[in-house]
Amino acid sequence: MERLPSDTEVVALSGTSGGAICATLAWDGLVRRDRKLAIQKLREFWDAMAAREPWDRVFNQYLLGMIELRDVMGMPEISPYQLPTWGEERFRNLLLQYFNFEELRQLARRPGAPIIRISAVEVLSGHFEMFDGESLCVECILASAAIPELYRAVSVPDRGIYWDGLFSQNPPIKELIRHRIDELWLIQINSSTCLRIPTEPHEIADRRNALAGNLSMEQELRFIEVINRAIAEGKLNNSDFRPVRVERIALDRDLGYRSKLDRKAELLDELRDYGKVKSQQFLRGRESRIASRL
């Protein structure tokens, strides 16, 4: 969202998995009080992630082809611990190119600095973990994006061993109300509904992934609904809680699980353009909803 309404101040960002990366890239600019830098970092990072070189395009297509083969034939299960780590190392090095974590931790401690929350799940204890700006490191982002089928669990120093935040708070929501927000803008990637019963293996995997991802999200939103209802009924008059209006920015296209692993430059460019259109539609709709309440 390149042009936010003049009456809007972003006080907190949160995300999980790929959303954690996007949230942190945007936060990097906001915590420096530079919105243009936030936009630039988002654009440049995903340009760098895109498979543009011939060898990378071939590898990307090979990975997608292997996933598609699972629909038509049995495939051996391979543990990520049996695979080379060069992909994980490349991802880590790319993150280090875009983030100065020591500097960001210092900026996060400034009074009035915007908040960042990203989530992961501790593998051994099952504990849901949130990482904030004051403790942020490259391992935190790697942990939130560590899909168990593809990546080894990530060890975060002095914290634990983590998998993808999809299994925890996806994304962290209810904690944000502690920062006295008036509105919550939720970008929902996975569809809540399904048009028909999934029957093909990839359809079943897609739906299972969507349900798993939305489960904690809906629980977090329900917590906010309960707080809002209690405030409306006068049960929390002496508390620090305030009503929060939830706005959803939901995708109206079915991307599927495979698209989340697809790094084709054409797809990433298309999704970026699609995101701009959706954000413009959302802001226009928000203005209309605000006007109708006046």
Side-chain angles (χ1 to χ4, degrees):
M1 296 183 182
E2 299 192 18
R3 295 183 180 178
L4 291 175
S6 57
D7 64 340
T8 301
E9 177 189 2
V10 179
V11 298
L13 293 169
S14 75
T16 292
S17 197
I21 300 171
C22 291
T24 309
L25 287 164
W27 177 75
D28 190 306
L30 295 178
V31 80
R32 301 175 193 274
R33 301 186 176 93
D34 189 341
R35 287 186 176 183
K36 290 184 177 179
L37 178 62
I39 296 167
Q40 176 185 334
K41 278 184 168 287
L42 278 162
R43 180 183 298 115
E44 291 182 353
F45 178 85
W46 290 106
D47 281 344
M49 278 291 292
R52 299 184 187 274
E53 297 296 328
W55 69 268
D56 204 8
R57 293 177 71 91
V58 169
F59 176 78
N60 182 67
Q61 193 57 46
Y62 169 78
L63 176 62
L64 296 176
M66 294 298 291
I67 295 174
E68 290 174 358
L69 278 177
R70 293 183 178 181
D71 290 346
V72 297
M73 61 182 296
M75 297 292 294
E77 295 290 337
I78 301 177
S79 166
Y81 290 87
Q82 297 172 322
L83 299 174
T85 61
W86 62 267
E88 295 160 292
E89 292 166 0
R90 183 188 176 202
F91 184 34
R92 177 190 180 94
N93 290 335
L94 183 62
L95 290 171
L96 290 173
Q97 289 178 30
Y98 282 86
F99 296 112
N100 182 333
F101 289 100
E102 181 176 354
E103 183 178 10
L104 287 174
R105 289 193 293 269
Q106 295 175 358
L107 290 171
R109 297 185 179 97
R110 294 190 314 189
I115 304 299
I116 183 73
R117 295 283 188 272
I118 63 177
S119 66
V121 64
E122 211 285 322
V123 178
L124 302 182
S125 68
H127 176 67
F128 296 172
E129 185 73 70
M130 280 197 307
F131 305 112
D132 60 23
E134 295 185 20
S135 62
L136 195 64
C137 61
V138 67
E139 288 84 8
C140 295
I141 300 179
L142 289 170
S144 187
I147 302 172
E149 296 88 349
L150 298 179
Y151 297 105
R152 304 179 186 205
V154 176
S155 177
V156 178
D158 302 321
R159 301 291 285 268
I161 301 173
Y162 295 91
W163 268 345
D164 194 321
L166 171 72
F167 303 105
S168 59
Q169 293 164 290
N170 185 46
I173 293 176
K174 64 184 181 183
E175 292 292 332
L176 299 182
I177 66 176
R178 295 168 49 197
H179 304 290
R180 301 186 64 77
I181 61 175
D182 299 304
E183 288 187 37
L184 175 70
W185 295 1
L186 174 67
I187 302 175
Q188 183 176 346
I189 302 299
N190 294 318
S191 174
S192 296
T193 61
C194 185
L195 296 177
R196 61 184 181 83
I197 298 174
T199 56
E200 297 295 328
H202 74 274
E203 294 174 338
I204 295 171
D206 287 347
R207 189 57 183 157
R208 183 180 63 185
N209 178 71
L211 291 172
N214 286 343
L215 176 62
S216 62
M217 179 194 74
E218 295 294 348
Q219 290 174 335
E220 301 256 311
L221 290 175
R222 197 166 294 117
F223 176 82
I224 293 180
E225 291 175 3
V226 170
I227 295 296
N228 284 345
R229 190 180 307 118
I231 293 173
E233 294 172 354
K235 298 177 180 178
L236 293 175
N237 290 335
N238 297 322
S239 73
D240 292 331
F241 289 114
R242 61 199 300 175
V244 176
R245 185 168 62 253
V246 177
E247 298 272 7
R248 293 200 195 205
I249 308 168
L251 302 188
D252 51 17
R253 57 185 291 182
D254 184 13
L255 295 175
Y257 178 72
R258 283 174 292 188
S259 69
K260 298 175 184 179
L261 305 177
D262 189 354
R263 295 185 297 109
K264 283 199 296 287
E266 298 82 0
L267 175 62
L268 296 182
D269 291 342
E270 177 193 346
L271 291 176
R272 181 165 54 204
D273 292 340
Y274 174 70
K276 289 180 180 179
V277 171
K278 291 295 293 185
S279 67
Q280 292 164 2
Q281 292 174 347
F282 164 74
L283 291 175
R284 288 195 298 267
R286 176 181 176 272
E287 289 178 3
S288 298
R289 288 187 291 275
I290 291 176
S292 67
R293 289 193 289 266
L294 296 179

